[in-house]
Amino acid sequence: MRPAPASRIATARSTGTAHRIPPTPADSDPGPGLDSVPGPGPRPGPSPDPDPASDPDRQPTARRFAGVATMIGSGLSNQTGAAIGSHAFPVLGPIGVVAVRQYVAAIVLLAVGRPRLRSFTWWQWRPVVGLAVVFGTMNLSLYTAIDRIGLGLAVTLEFLGPLCIALATSRRRADACCALVAAAAAVTLMRPRPSADYLGMGLGLLAAVCWASYILLNRTVGRRVPGAQGSAVAAGLSALMFLPVGIAVAVHQPPTASAVAYAVTAGVLSSAVPYLADLFTLRRVPAQAFGLFMSVNPVLAALVGWVGLGQNLGWTEWTSIGAIVAANTLSILTRRG
């Protein structure tokens, strides 16, 4: 999974995958940006044949198309990064790959968030520390589950965390039906069979619990700490926690150049690229559309695992994954406002 700034609200995160900034709906004013900075020289006069990119009537459609394209790229990047990171498991193990990913996430978020540590109060530090612990535990349990049960099933089980948060906060009958569908699909995925890896499934569910906790802590941190400073500090603390782990892994089994390259690539594709992509996306598409697309991540994970890693799933697994995605989609589409 990828890191998210603490100020990202629970709506966008809980309806989809984790991990970024407060979503700015496409219909709202995103504030000053690069496009609004006046350049040198005189302002251009009216043109009889305006450029389509500058046509106000065409800008919303173009912006949303760009946002959707970025969401697709972000999702594929996230799941591809996890698949590439799995190639380093034989040398570094899941814990070593997660350690490298935490380092990459810390570098990116600290560079963007630029936290002012001296201004933090204990009231702000408490949820930030909790976020750091949950962040590391979530990624470690997810990557260990990927190593044991495959990318598609691990991400699907993890997705139950934000889905439960979204459904538990509602009192609608439609959401109750969606919850039953998702629960039945989860039971089907974890049904007893000779080849079942219950430890791997348990780790996937632990990742789901961590993701749900991550959403709640993110909301608290977002309220107490301005901007992305809270997530940046949490990522930095998590990286510090994994520093002894990284050293122990390197001493016990010296990593190869290819294994380190796989782990770093996983960190970039699953942390840096999705984070920067969301900075672009959340200003161009509504939070509801963002949540709808994020719910497709289990399908993307299953496809990437199948194509990239040769992890084949049976029709029962595919049906269960589709049911969980459909439950989340139906829940979002039937909401008002």
Side-chain angles (χ1 to χ4, degrees):
M1 298 310 303
R2 51 195 176 193
S7 54
R8 176 175 178 181
I9 61 172
T11 302
R13 186 69 175 88
S14 63
T15 56
T17 154
H19 277 194
R20 296 175 246 205
I21 63 170
T24 303
D27 297 330
S28 66
D29 181 12
L34 295 178
D35 295 338
S36 63
V37 179
R43 295 183 180 179
S47 171
D49 186 17
D51 179 52
S54 62
D55 187 350
D57 294 333
R58 301 186 185 183
Q59 281 183 351
T61 300
R63 285 164 61 90
R64 294 196 180 190
F65 177 79
V68 170
T70 305
M71 282 193 295
I72 296 174
S74 175
L76 288 175
S77 175
N78 188 26
Q79 305 308 331
T80 301
I84 291 175
S86 67
H87 289 297
F89 287 171
V91 177
L92 300 178
I95 191 170
V97 175
V98 171
V100 174
R101 176 176 170 173
Q102 301 301 98
Y103 306 153
V104 173
I107 292 172
V108 173
L109 288 179
L110 287 172
V112 176
R114 298 180 180 181
R116 301 176 181 178
L117 298 180
R118 293 183 179 179
S119 65
F120 277 40
T121 64
W122 177 241
W123 186 67
Q124 294 172 316
W125 272 111
R126 284 188 297 176
V128 168
V129 172
L131 189 63
V133 174
V134 168
F135 183 35
T137 306
M138 176 175 61
N139 284 329
L140 180 57
S141 57
L142 175 63
Y143 272 57
T144 307
I146 290 174
D147 186 36
R148 300 184 67 95
I149 62 176
L151 182 61
L153 294 184
V155 171
T156 301
L157 291 175
E158 186 201 28
F159 181 71
L160 292 174
L163 179 58
C164 287
I165 289 290
L167 297 179
T169 56
S170 175
R171 296 294 183 269
R172 300 182 309 138
R173 292 182 180 179
D175 285 336
C177 293
C178 291
L180 290 176
V181 171
V187 170
T188 302
L189 282 176
M190 302 181 66
R191 69 191 184 282
R193 57 191 186 278
S195 60
D197 188 331
Y198 294 107
L199 177 57
M201 293 178 183
L203 290 169
L205 292 178
L206 175 59
V209 173
C210 289
W211 196 354
S213 303
Y214 189 92
I215 294 168
L216 300 176
L217 285 169
N218 253 334
R219 182 164 52 186
T220 302
V221 171
R223 290 172 177 171
R224 298 184 184 184
V225 185
Q229 294 186 60
S231 282
V233 174
L237 290 176
S238 183
L240 287 177
M241 294 175 187
F242 275 87
L243 187 59
V245 173
I247 295 175
V249 170
V251 171
H252 178 70
Q253 187 173 0
T256 62
S258 60
V260 173
Y262 284 138
V264 172
T265 302
V268 172
L269 293 180
S270 296
S271 297
V273 171
Y275 171 77
L276 296 176
D278 285 353
L279 286 174
F280 179 87
T281 301
L282 291 172
R283 290 183 180 273
R284 287 162 174 79
V285 299
Q288 184 184 48
F290 185 86
L292 278 174
F293 177 81
M294 294 299 285
S295 69
V296 184
N297 267 273
V299 177
L300 289 177
L303 290 173
V304 170
W306 175 43
V307 175
L309 301 175
Q311 297 173 348
N312 297 321
L313 298 176
W315 68 270
T316 305
E317 285 74 20
W318 278 110
T319 302
S320 299
I321 292 173
I324 291 175
V325 171
N328 186 72
T329 303
L330 179 62
S331 175
I332 295 175
L333 291 178
T334 56
R335 291 181 184 179
R336 297 179 179 177

